[in-house]
Amino acid sequence: MKTIPARNPRTGRIDGEIENWTPAGIGGLANELRRAQTAWQDNGLSCRRGALLDWRDELHRRSEAIAEALTADTGRRQISRLEVQKPINLIDYWLQQAPALLEGEAGRSSMAPSVDWRHVHAPYPLVGVISPWNFPLALASLDAIPALLAGCAVIVKPSEVTSRFVRPLTESVASIPELRAVFRFITGDGSAGAGLVDAVDAVCFTGSVATGRKVAVHAAQKFIPAFLELGGKDPAIVTADADLENAVRAIARSAFGATGQACQSLERAYVAREVYDEFLAALVECARSIRLNDADLDAGEIGPLIFAGQAATIRRHLDDALARGARVHCGGKIENHGGGDWCRPTVVSEVSQDMLIMREETFGPVITVSPFDSASEAVALANESEYGLSAAVFAGSQAEAEAIAARLEVGGVSINDASLTAAVNDVEKNSFRLSGMGGSRMGPSGMSRFLRKRALLHQTAPAASIHGG
């Protein structure tokens, strides 16, 4: 068995290892799950419901062990405990939604009035889920749970950066034979990810644009659907009559929460010139009050940078900005504490749109602040990006906020708050531009994207003759 070293983000040390699955091993597992999927589908929703309820109970019982493994993966305890609750909450949500979504539709054709039709759902037999290192369990659950309830078998491969949690999670699934037959976790690097795409009938991927593009090309060559949720460079717009205290509170939470290691983190703030200085001063004050939790896992708000390579990206963006005349008001450096990489909340001003920090995803606790003179200018600046994941608008009235939001080239806009899409998973949204493609993982589409429609067409009149009449 080949293995991959596991790095502890708090210490920087290699203190574990994970199995690196081979394409042959993945192919064998895929065949096993495909054979079991037929019964999983045919036994109906009530059977699947029972298995998922049993798993929910196992997750409750094993939550501390799973959270501790996630803590070893990510270096953050409080968020890891919250992350374990995500699949529990998603099971409850999808159990409520599934009966209506799985109900087949029927009707009569308006183009051929003698033909009655009925839809029968045909789930993709085997779905592959590739989750990223920032929220490896929560983001895998967003795809895996609705796919399982839809009648699919599922294989999940988290990032090799954060895979220790797979062991206790696998133990929770193994205690439920019906679920274990159709739901497995594998570990490994990019070659394992490619092997997974080769083996499945549909793939869900969350991660970078560069890797997402490879997944999309690979899936297209196989003619299987790819549902991609990729990066972002999310902007916030703050108008002159917005509640500045509220805006600062929300933007700071979004930009610096989870150490800025979330795709929907705000990375750019555009603020009306009339209130720019006041907003900037308040945001810097707030940022300086946020503490690292380097000395105590249970104290402080900023954890370590999970992926060692991300420190280099943050450093490159800040160095480029400073070289071009930007000003760093707080933070701004990669620090080493106990062997791990850390970055304090960083606020940058006097930036230009051509800087790396304005164009590329930084994925750290870093936000830029720029003034604007009109709503049209703010929208143009916010839209000057290859990304289109989400955004935020803070304004004095709902009408003003929605008028701005309607012009933003993004899939979800939080109004008078930030990063609401992280919590609001029951409302559909699409990713724009390079931020992704495929059916929404939110709302009803989160399940329906795993169901193909088979049309049964019933002719109620005599069949037409080749001779006409």
Side-chain angles (χ1 to χ4, degrees):
M1 179 186 72
K2 293 185 178 180
T3 61
I4 298 173
R7 173 184 174 273
N8 187 316
R10 295 187 70 85
T11 66
R13 292 196 297 269
I14 302 300
D15 57 5
E17 60 182 19
I18 61 169
E19 182 179 358
N20 193 16
W21 278 66
T22 65
I26 296 168
L29 178 63
N31 291 336
E32 178 186 336
L33 265 62
R34 271 207 182 85
R35 289 192 293 269
Q37 183 271 334
T38 301
W40 178 251
Q41 177 185 346
D42 292 347
N43 288 340
L45 179 59
S46 61
C47 174
R48 301 195 292 272
R49 181 180 185 276
L52 268 294
L53 283 172
D54 288 344
W55 188 42
R56 184 190 63 179
D57 293 341
E58 283 297 314
L59 289 171
H60 274 297
R61 280 193 287 270
R62 301 170 187 263
S63 61
E64 193 59 30
I66 298 170
E68 283 305 300
L70 279 168
T71 300
D73 277 330
T74 64
R76 55 197 191 194
R77 176 174 287 156
Q78 296 176 27
I79 292 177
S80 293
R81 287 173 173 165
L82 292 174
E83 192 170 356
V84 177
Q85 292 300 311
K86 192 67 172 182
I88 294 171
N89 295 339
L90 286 169
I91 289 170
D92 289 337
Y93 170 74
W94 283 114
L95 285 176
Q96 293 179 353
Q97 303 300 315
L101 291 172
L102 296 175
E103 186 71 32
E105 298 175 315
R108 173 158 288 188
S109 170
S110 61
M111 301 184 73
S114 63
V115 174
D116 293 333
W117 60 266
R118 182 166 67 89
H119 276 148
V120 177
H121 289 132
Y124 290 101
L126 181 58
V127 173
V129 176
I130 302 174
S131 68
W133 49 259
N134 57 331
F135 289 94
L137 173 55
L139 294 175
S141 300
L142 278 171
D143 296 319
I145 291 171
L148 286 166
L149 278 171
C152 311
V154 177
I155 299 176
V156 173
K157 190 203 88 69
S159 166
E160 64 271 26
V161 176
T162 50
S163 288
R164 301 178 210 232
F165 78 98
V166 165
R167 181 172 297 171
L169 204 66
T170 294
E171 291 171 357
S172 74
V173 174
S175 64
I176 306 156
E178 301 90 344
L179 187 60
R180 184 185 182 278
V182 293
F183 186 31
R184 300 289 186 84
F185 287 79
I186 64 171
T187 55
D189 57 17
S191 64
L196 182 61
V197 179
D198 272 333
V200 299
D201 305 299
V203 61
C204 302
F205 172 83
T206 307
S208 70
V209 172
T211 305
R213 184 176 280 115
K214 294 177 183 177
V215 171
V217 170
H218 196 160
Q221 290 170 338
K222 289 193 63 204
F223 283 87
I224 66 171
F227 307 108
L228 309 180
E229 183 89 357
L230 308 179
K233 191 71 181 174
D234 286 8
I237 294 176
V238 183
T239 67
D241 54 355
D243 180 337
L244 290 190
E245 182 180 353
N246 180 67
V248 168
R249 180 169 57 246
I251 291 172
R253 186 198 75 240
S254 172
F256 308 135
T259 318
Q261 298 170 125
C263 55
Q264 77 282 353
S265 296
L266 289 172
E267 296 197 2
R268 299 176 290 151
Y270 298 101
V271 184
R273 194 175 297 277
E274 300 95 308
V275 296
Y276 172 79
D277 290 337
E278 181 182 356
F279 173 88
L280 179 59
L283 183 62
V284 171
E285 181 182 4
C286 179
R288 286 174 174 161
S289 72
I290 299 172
R291 305 161 298 162
L292 302 182
N293 75 349
D294 56 324
D296 184 350
L297 262 169
D298 296 309
E301 299 80 24
I302 298 292
L305 299 174
I306 298 170
F307 175 46
Q310 206 59 40
T313 297
I314 295 170
R315 187 181 291 112
R316 180 167 57 88
H317 286 189
L318 289 171
D319 287 349
D320 174 77
L322 288 169
R324 293 168 179 247
R327 178 184 176 190
V328 174
H329 295 263
C330 55
K333 295 181 180 179
I334 302 299
E335 303 177 11
N336 187 280
H337 297 279
D341 294 319
W342 304 73
C343 182
R344 296 181 189 274
T346 299
V347 180
V348 184
S349 69
E350 299 177 30
V351 293
S352 58
Q353 292 287 107
D354 61 342
M355 293 178 180
L356 295 178
I357 203 170
M358 300 296 284
R359 305 190 68 81
E360 298 180 2
E361 185 176 32
T362 305
F363 218 68
V366 179
I367 189 167
T368 63
V369 185
S370 307
F372 67 81
D373 294 304
S374 69
S376 294
E377 181 190 9
V379 169
L381 290 169
N383 284 340
E384 194 175 325
S385 173
E386 292 183 320
Y387 298 99
L389 191 63
S390 48
V393 176
F394 298 84
S397 69
Q398 182 174 337
E400 180 185 20
E402 290 192 356
I404 293 172
R407 298 162 62 191
L408 295 176
E409 290 293 317
V410 299
V413 183
S414 300
I415 293 177
N416 290 331
D417 205 339
S419 300
L420 290 177
T421 55
V424 181
N425 299 149
D426 56 341
V427 178
E428 288 189 15
K429 74 171 188 68
N430 293 112
S431 298
F432 288 26
R433 296 174 172 169
L434 296 188
S435 287
M437 71 177 196
S440 174
R441 73 200 313 183
M442 310 295 187
S445 175
M447 179 175 288
S448 63
R449 62 193 168 131
F450 299 118
L451 298 167
R452 296 162 295 177
K453 290 182 177 180
R454 179 180 289 122
L456 305 183
L457 307 175
H458 297 267
Q459 177 61 270
T460 63
S465 167
I466 193 172
H467 301 294

